[in-house]
Amino acid sequence: MSFTVVIPARYGSSRFPGKPLALIDGKPMIQHVVERAKEAGADTIIVATDDDRIKNVVEGFAKVCMTSPLHQSGTERIAEVIQTEKIAADTIVVNVQGDEPFIPAANIMQVAENLAAAPQCQMATLSTPINDVDDVFNPNVVKVLVNTHGESIYFSRSPIPFERDRMMADASSADTALYKRHIGIYAYRAAYVSCYVSYEASALEQIESLEQLRAIWYGDKIHCAVAVAPPPIGIDTPEDLERLTATIKA
């Protein structure tokens, strides 16, 4: 199984400036992400950034590709990397977020293998069951619906599906077994990334603030399987990092 991992890493974050360089056990967060990609068996690992502070740190342990500061998403940043590095059109590229230091290496390998086994799909991603009813209604927990072919129907910050009778009577009685949390890791073939970024931003993508809805809007297919090793929820704030670090050490 041959694939490339590209890790988009921004310095600027309103809730956690400099997040990729935050230290975890004495190493910057971005280095932990690179190590997970190495464990997954990626042929090539590239950190894509627009900030010299990240570049200067990452050059000590991984390849760096400097990209435009004008990109609106990680996928746009990856498209520039594909062009700059002349990555072959049929290469499977896995987008691993730079703020996922605890993502299991098995998930990185899984999403690459799933795309390779689903030639009818343009993208692949993962999900994990939701067990807490509060997460069903938490807009920061993105829900995904998947059809019988393992293809994503829709992603939303709202509770989907909506159990009309049960939830209109008592929202707290929602059946968590019906819900899956989307895990923000993606695999695509290099040629498709250029196609994706050429699309106009879709209305649904802008309403939900979920870039994967652009693919669905234009009729492209996203394979979605349950992750073999569910990762913790992503790190958005310094408090999230402190909490997750404490949980993993416990």
Side-chain angles (χ1 to χ4, degrees):
M1 181 69 224
S2 176
F3 63 96
T4 292
V5 168
V6 181
I7 306 170
R10 292 174 56 249
Y11 190 93
S13 168
S14 58
R15 290 185 288 177
F16 196 166
K19 180 166 50 173
L21 301 183
L23 295 179
I24 303 172
D25 289 337
K27 293 187 290 190
M29 183 185 298
I30 189 68
Q31 186 171 354
H32 288 272
V33 182
V34 168
E35 289 173 355
R36 300 295 81 74
K38 288 179 179 177
E39 290 170 11
D43 297 277
T44 304
I45 302 167
I46 303 170
V47 174
T49 188
D50 59 1
D51 193 281
D52 285 333
R53 288 164 290 190
I54 294 176
K55 173 179 177 289
N56 293 337
V57 170
V58 171
E59 282 182 329
F61 52 81
K63 182 175 182 176
V64 181
C65 182
M66 293 298 289
T67 56
S68 168
L70 302 179
H71 294 312
Q72 299 299 307
S73 70
T75 307
E76 290 182 6
R77 202 170 300 282
I78 288 173
E80 183 177 350
V81 172
I82 289 170
Q83 182 177 26
T84 301
E85 299 294 326
K86 297 180 172 57
I87 296 175
D90 60 349
T91 300
I92 290 178
V93 177
V94 180
N95 174 349
V96 181
Q97 302 299 318
D99 58 358
E100 294 282 357
F102 305 120
I103 189 165
N107 289 353
I108 300 173
M109 171 62 82
Q110 180 186 10
V111 77
E113 290 179 337
N114 288 353
L115 183 65
Q120 79 281 8
C121 292
Q122 286 72 41
M123 296 173 60
T125 190
L126 299 173
S127 69
T128 190
I130 290 177
N131 300 312
D132 187 335
V133 71
D134 289 340
D135 286 344
V136 173
F137 298 94
N138 183 347
N140 294 317
V141 176
V142 177
K143 276 67 67 174
V144 58
L145 287 180
V146 180
N147 67 21
T148 190
H149 304 295
E151 298 162 358
S152 307
I153 300 172
Y154 194 66
F155 299 82
S156 183
R157 298 182 182 278
S158 297
I160 55 170
F162 185 83
E163 303 171 81
R164 189 193 65 174
D165 294 340
R166 180 198 295 261
M167 291 168 68
M168 288 183 71
D170 178 9
S172 65
S173 70
D175 181 2
T176 56
L178 294 172
Y179 299 90
K180 289 185 173 61
R181 169 171 72 89
H182 175 232
I183 297 171
I185 183 172
Y186 302 97
Y188 5 59
R189 296 170 188 86
Y192 175 70
V193 180
S194 297
C195 177
Y196 173 92
V197 298
S198 72
Y199 293 149
E200 292 283 341
S202 70
L204 292 178
E205 168 191 2
Q206 294 171 324
I207 291 168
E208 295 258 21
S209 191
L210 297 172
E211 66 169 309
Q212 63 270 36
L213 289 174
R214 186 184 308 185
I216 290 177
W217 177 268
Y218 287 99
D220 296 335
K221 294 181 178 181
I222 305 175
H223 184 278
C224 186
V226 174
V228 293
I233 291 175
I235 298 168
D236 294 319
T237 66
E239 292 74 24
D240 289 340
L241 177 57
E242 184 176 342
R243 172 179 52 80
L244 282 170
T245 302
T247 300
I248 287 172
K249 287 182 176 180

